[in-house]
Amino acid sequence: MSPVKPLETYREKRQFQRTPEPYGDKEKPQGQPVFVIQKHDASHLHYDFRLEWGGVLKSWAVPKGPSTTPRTMRLAMLTEDHPIDYAQFEGVIPEGNYGAGTVMVWDIGTYRNLRAEKPDRPETMEQSFDEGKIEVWLDGRKLKGGYALIRTKGMGGGRDDARKWLLVKMKDEFAGRPADPEKTEPDSALTGRSLEQIRRDAEEAARASVAGKPAR
Ligand code: MN
């Protein structure tokens, strides 16, 4: 992938007069880096897994969502970096826009880079990413424990798309908890709303607003 300025691809894909998504010019929050998993009811329902580092949210689209069962591999397609304030974004991207559909903050919390804690060969997130093997400890409202992201390029003959990664639960005391989280815990970790409620709230807000909407 050719190097791009931070958030260039993200901004190119969007017209910010027409979508409630953040432009991404807020200051970086301090403290532990955040992770977020957004449930995105676009043309196909999927989950967007995002990890904060380097001033952005590194992002993967996970069609089936995360599994809490170790060794269950979930396809994770690398997508464009998102701004850090996207982690709090919940709402509806209107028809005709990139990614049109409802976005829910399905899980949110902080994470630790487990590979930075290896005494023999500590690695930054950037190094882990370049090597195609990321290991993080999630401290979310739903998901906890170790998760690995593994780039498949080179595996199985090397003809894989460079954007293709796998998301896998690591073995620890949080394995299997909760089982089938996307079914047992379908609602927002931020507001408790369902996709349908988020959609209804956005419709109501649109009806209530006067022509045009406040800049954001
Ligand atoms: Mn998405």
Side-chain angles (χ1 to χ4, degrees), residues 122-193:
E123 305 236 336
T124 63
M125 289 298 288
E126 199 59 49
Q127 287 167 327
S128 299
F129 180 84
D130 289 345
E131 282 181 18
K133 191 178 183 206
I134 289 167
E135 292 176 358
V136 288
W137 184 273
L138 303 183
D139 188 16
R141 305 206 183 155
K142 293 173 182 166
L143 300 187
K144 294 187 196 298
Y147 281 81
L149 275 158
I150 299 150
R151 184 164 49 220
T152 65
K153 196 177 187 208
M155 288 164 68
R159 288 193 47 81
D160 272 340
D161 188 324
R163 297 183 306 124
K164 207 167 151 190
W165 293 60
L166 299 169
L167 176 65
V168 192
K169 177 78 190 82
M170 295 162 72
K171 272 203 259 178
D172 54 45
E173 66 269 35
F174 294 105
R177 292 166 50 194
D180 296 323
E182 69 281 359
K183 292 194 189 84
T184 57
E185 308 220 21
D187 297 335
S188 170
L190 209 56
T191 62
R193 295 182 296 172

Side-chain angles (χ1 to χ4, degrees), residues 14 38-42 44 46-48 50 60-61 79 82 86 98-99 103:
R14 291 167 176 81
Q38 276 153 323
K39 189 170 169 178
H40 187 183
D41 191 14
H44 298 279
H46 62 275
Y47 293 75
D48 290 298
R50 312 189 198 278
W60 290 261
T79 58
H82 278 51
Y86 207 94
Y98 178 72
V103 178

